[in-house]
mmCIF file of all heavy atoms in Angstrom:
data_model
loop_
_atom_site.group_PDB
_atom_site.id
_atom_site.type_symbol
_atom_site.label_atom_id
_atom_site.label_comp_id
_atom_site.label_asym_id
_atom_site.label_seq_id
_atom_site.Cartn_x
_atom_site.Cartn_y
_atom_site.Cartn_z
ATOM 1 N N ASP A 579 39.436 108.513 180.348
ATOM 2 C CA ASP A 579 39.212 109.851 179.828
ATOM 3 C C ASP A 579 39.955 109.980 178.506
ATOM 4 O O ASP A 579 40.980 109.337 178.284
ATOM 5 C CB ASP A 579 39.719 110.907 180.810
ATOM 6 C CG ASP A 579 38.829 111.008 182.041
ATOM 7 O OD1 ASP A 579 37.610 110.868 181.884
ATOM 8 O OD2 ASP A 579 39.364 111.225 183.131
ATOM 9 N N GLU A 597 46.074 105.129 188.070
ATOM 10 C CA GLU A 597 45.474 104.596 189.295
ATOM 11 C C GLU A 597 45.401 105.643 190.396
ATOM 12 O O GLU A 597 44.739 105.444 191.406
ATOM 13 C CB GLU A 597 46.290 103.406 189.808
ATOM 14 C CG GLU A 597 46.196 102.163 188.948
ATOM 15 C CD GLU A 597 44.858 101.467 189.067
ATOM 16 O OE1 GLU A 597 44.020 101.904 189.884
ATOM 17 O OE2 GLU A 597 44.636 100.501 188.326
ATOM 18 N N PRO A 603 46.142 115.132 182.317
ATOM 19 C CA PRO A 603 47.039 116.261 182.028
ATOM 20 C C PRO A 603 46.309 117.414 181.346
ATOM 21 O O PRO A 603 45.467 117.209 180.466
ATOM 22 C CB PRO A 603 48.076 115.646 181.084
ATOM 23 C CG PRO A 603 48.036 114.187 181.370
ATOM 24 C CD PRO A 603 46.622 113.875 181.735
ATOM 25 N N LEU A 629 55.225 113.897 177.344
ATOM 26 C CA LEU A 629 55.011 112.665 176.597
ATOM 27 C C LEU A 629 56.338 112.229 176.001
ATOM 28 O O LEU A 629 56.895 112.908 175.141
ATOM 29 C CB LEU A 629 53.971 112.876 175.504
ATOM 30 C CG LEU A 629 53.716 111.701 174.554
ATOM 31 C CD1 LEU A 629 53.345 110.445 175.325
ATOM 32 C CD2 LEU A 629 52.648 112.062 173.538
ATOM 33 N N ARG A 631 59.123 110.500 173.876
ATOM 34 C CA ARG A 631 59.298 109.927 172.546
ATOM 35 C C ARG A 631 60.721 109.429 172.321
ATOM 36 O O ARG A 631 61.084 109.101 171.199
ATOM 37 C CB ARG A 631 58.969 110.989 171.478
ATOM 38 C CG ARG A 631 57.518 111.436 171.439
ATOM 39 C CD ARG A 631 56.566 110.285 171.255
ATOM 40 N NE ARG A 631 55.218 110.726 170.859
ATOM 41 C CZ ARG A 631 54.165 109.944 170.901
ATOM 42 N NH1 ARG A 631 54.275 108.681 171.340
ATOM 43 N NH2 ARG A 631 52.985 110.395 170.511
ATOM 44 N N ALA A 637 63.988 107.310 179.733
ATOM 45 C CA ALA A 637 62.844 107.842 180.480
ATOM 46 C C ALA A 637 62.923 107.407 181.945
ATOM 47 O O ALA A 637 62.632 108.192 182.857
ATOM 48 C CB ALA A 637 61.540 107.361 179.849
ATOM 49 N N ALA A 643 66.223 111.013 188.000
ATOM 50 C CA ALA A 643 66.820 112.344 188.128
ATOM 51 C C ALA A 643 65.834 113.341 188.731
ATOM 52 O O ALA A 643 66.204 114.179 189.568
ATOM 53 C CB ALA A 643 67.304 112.827 186.762
ATOM 54 N N ASP A 649 64.180 115.427 196.105
ATOM 55 C CA ASP A 649 64.802 115.161 197.404
ATOM 56 C C ASP A 649 65.722 116.308 197.814
ATOM 57 O O ASP A 649 65.734 116.726 198.981
ATOM 58 C CB ASP A 649 65.592 113.857 197.346
ATOM 59 C CG ASP A 649 64.702 112.640 197.204
ATOM 60 O OD1 ASP A 649 63.507 112.742 197.518
ATOM 61 O OD2 ASP A 649 65.206 111.589 196.755
ATOM 62 N N ILE A 689 53.929 107.737 179.053
ATOM 63 C CA ILE A 689 54.316 106.739 178.056
ATOM 64 C C ILE A 689 53.069 106.354 177.258
ATOM 65 O O ILE A 689 51.996 106.151 177.834
ATOM 66 C CB ILE A 689 54.909 105.485 178.736
ATOM 67 C CG1 ILE A 689 56.137 105.862 179.578
ATOM 68 C CG2 ILE A 689 55.265 104.429 177.693
ATOM 69 C CD1 ILE A 689 57.310 106.399 178.793
ATOM 70 N N SER A 724 45.253 104.280 171.320
ATOM 71 C CA SER A 724 46.405 104.228 172.208
ATOM 72 C C SER A 724 46.005 104.758 173.579
ATOM 73 O O SER A 724 44.942 105.362 173.748
ATOM 74 C CB SER A 724 47.584 105.029 171.650
ATOM 75 O OG SER A 724 47.261 106.404 171.563
ATOM 76 N N GLY A 737 56.234 96.149 188.936
ATOM 77 C CA GLY A 737 56.663 95.673 190.244
ATOM 78 C C GLY A 737 55.633 94.758 190.884
ATOM 79 O O GLY A 737 55.976 93.730 191.468
ATOM 80 N N LYS A 743 54.058 87.077 190.883
ATOM 81 C CA LYS A 743 54.698 85.814 190.495
ATOM 82 C C LYS A 743 55.432 85.185 191.672
ATOM 83 O O LYS A 743 55.331 83.971 191.900
ATOM 84 C CB LYS A 743 55.680 86.067 189.345
ATOM 85 C CG LYS A 743 55.034 86.368 188.017
ATOM 86 C CD LYS A 743 56.037 86.257 186.872
ATOM 87 C CE LYS A 743 57.207 87.207 187.066
ATOM 88 N NZ LYS A 743 58.153 87.143 185.931
ATOM 89 N N LEU A 751 51.253 79.899 207.743
ATOM 90 C CA LEU A 751 50.650 78.903 206.845
ATOM 91 C C LEU A 751 51.676 77.844 206.451
ATOM 92 O O LEU A 751 51.628 77.293 205.351
ATOM 93 C CB LEU A 751 50.091 79.584 205.593
ATOM 94 C CG LEU A 751 48.879 80.495 205.788
ATOM 95 C CD1 LEU A 751 48.465 81.128 204.465
ATOM 96 C CD2 LEU A 751 47.707 79.722 206.392
ATOM 97 N N VAL A 792 38.209 90.448 202.383
ATOM 98 C CA VAL A 792 39.049 89.256 202.237
ATOM 99 C C VAL A 792 40.437 89.562 201.680
ATOM 100 O O VAL A 792 41.404 88.874 202.011
ATOM 101 C CB VAL A 792 38.329 88.200 201.371
ATOM 102 C CG1 VAL A 792 38.137 88.697 199.946
ATOM 103 C CG2 VAL A 792 39.068 86.874 201.381
ATOM 104 N N LYS A 807 35.788 75.084 210.053
ATOM 105 C CA LYS A 807 35.374 74.167 208.989
ATOM 106 C C LYS A 807 35.076 74.876 207.675
ATOM 107 O O LYS A 807 35.336 74.326 206.598
ATOM 108 C CB LYS A 807 34.152 73.367 209.442
ATOM 109 C CG LYS A 807 34.462 72.381 210.569
ATOM 110 C CD LYS A 807 33.247 71.538 210.932
ATOM 111 C CE LYS A 807 33.585 70.537 212.036
ATOM 112 N NZ LYS A 807 32.395 69.721 212.412
ATOM 113 N N SER A 808 34.515 76.089 207.746
ATOM 114 C CA SER A 808 34.211 76.810 206.513
ATOM 115 C C SER A 808 34.268 78.312 206.785
ATOM 116 O O SER A 808 34.124 78.762 207.927
ATOM 117 C CB SER A 808 32.835 76.440 205.957
ATOM 118 O OG SER A 808 31.809 76.884 206.823
ATOM 119 N N ALA A 832 39.201 75.575 197.909
ATOM 120 C CA ALA A 832 38.077 76.030 197.086
ATOM 121 C C ALA A 832 36.728 75.558 197.612
ATOM 122 O O ALA A 832 35.732 76.286 197.533
ATOM 123 C CB ALA A 832 38.272 75.561 195.642
ATOM 124 N N ALA A 840 30.230 91.850 198.729
ATOM 125 C CA ALA A 840 29.326 92.490 199.678
ATOM 126 C C ALA A 840 30.080 93.571 200.431
ATOM 127 O O ALA A 840 31.300 93.488 200.612
ATOM 128 C CB ALA A 840 28.761 91.453 200.667
ATOM 129 N N VAL A 852 35.866 88.154 211.546
ATOM 130 C CA VAL A 852 37.193 88.767 211.603
ATOM 131 C C VAL A 852 37.263 89.913 210.608
ATOM 132 O O VAL A 852 36.810 89.777 209.462
ATOM 133 C CB VAL A 852 38.297 87.731 211.285
ATOM 134 C CG1 VAL A 852 39.678 88.361 211.378
ATOM 135 C CG2 VAL A 852 38.185 86.542 212.231
ATOM 136 N N LYS A 861 41.449 110.072 203.275
ATOM 137 C CA LYS A 861 41.030 109.783 201.906
ATOM 138 C C LYS A 861 42.163 109.117 201.148
ATOM 139 O O LYS A 861 43.292 109.599 201.150
ATOM 140 C CB LYS A 861 40.621 111.080 201.208
ATOM 141 C CG LYS A 861 40.040 110.869 199.821
ATOM 142 C CD LYS A 861 39.542 112.181 199.230
ATOM 143 C CE LYS A 861 38.929 111.960 197.854
ATOM 144 N NZ LYS A 861 38.425 113.234 197.269
ATOM 145 N N ASP A 874 36.880 108.781 206.913
ATOM 146 C CA ASP A 874 35.929 108.921 208.029
ATOM 147 C C ASP A 874 35.785 107.629 208.838
ATOM 148 O O ASP A 874 34.773 107.440 209.524
ATOM 149 C CB ASP A 874 34.551 109.347 207.513
ATOM 150 C CG ASP A 874 34.582 110.722 206.850
ATOM 151 O OD1 ASP A 874 35.340 111.585 207.316
ATOM 152 O OD2 ASP A 874 33.866 110.917 205.857
ATOM 153 N N SER A 875 36.784 106.742 208.756
ATOM 154 C CA SER A 875 36.743 105.448 209.463
ATOM 155 C C SER A 875 35.474 104.678 209.124
ATOM 156 O O SER A 875 34.893 103.973 209.960
ATOM 157 C CB SER A 875 36.852 105.647 210.983
ATOM 158 O OG SER A 875 38.063 106.287 211.320
ATOM 159 N N MET A 877 34.792 101.973 207.240
ATOM 160 C CA MET A 877 34.786 100.519 207.369
ATOM 161 C C MET A 877 34.897 100.096 208.835
ATOM 162 O O MET A 877 34.201 99.178 209.278
ATOM 163 C CB MET A 877 35.927 99.904 206.563
ATOM 164 C CG MET A 877 35.921 98.384 206.562
ATOM 165 S SD MET A 877 37.172 97.695 205.453
ATOM 166 C CE MET A 877 36.897 95.934 205.693
ATOM 167 N N VAL A 931 50.953 93.236 219.645
ATOM 168 C CA VAL A 931 52.266 92.901 219.113
ATOM 169 C C VAL A 931 52.864 94.158 218.500
ATOM 170 O O VAL A 931 52.144 95.002 217.966
ATOM 171 C CB VAL A 931 52.164 91.763 218.060
ATOM 172 C CG1 VAL A 931 51.396 92.216 216.825
ATOM 173 C CG2 VAL A 931 53.546 91.265 217.664
ATOM 174 N N ARG A 941 64.910 106.558 211.148
ATOM 175 C CA ARG A 941 64.800 107.828 211.866
ATOM 176 C C ARG A 941 64.663 109.023 210.926
ATOM 177 O O ARG A 941 64.379 110.137 211.369
ATOM 178 C CB ARG A 941 66.000 108.010 212.790
ATOM 179 C CG ARG A 941 66.058 106.973 213.904
ATOM 180 C CD ARG A 941 67.161 107.233 214.893
ATOM 181 N NE ARG A 941 67.120 106.280 215.989
ATOM 182 C CZ ARG A 941 66.370 106.411 217.075
ATOM 183 N NH1 ARG A 941 65.608 107.486 217.207
ATOM 184 N NH2 ARG A 941 66.385 105.500 218.025
#
Side-chain angles (χ1 to χ4, degrees):
D579 288 323
E597 290 287 356
L629 175 55
R631 294 304 195 194
D649 292 340
I689 301 296
S724 64
K743 288 194 301 182
L751 292 178
V792 65
K807 292 184 179 179
S808 67
V852 181
K861 186 175 181 179
D874 297 325
S875 300
M877 184 174 180
V931 66
R941 295 186 176 275

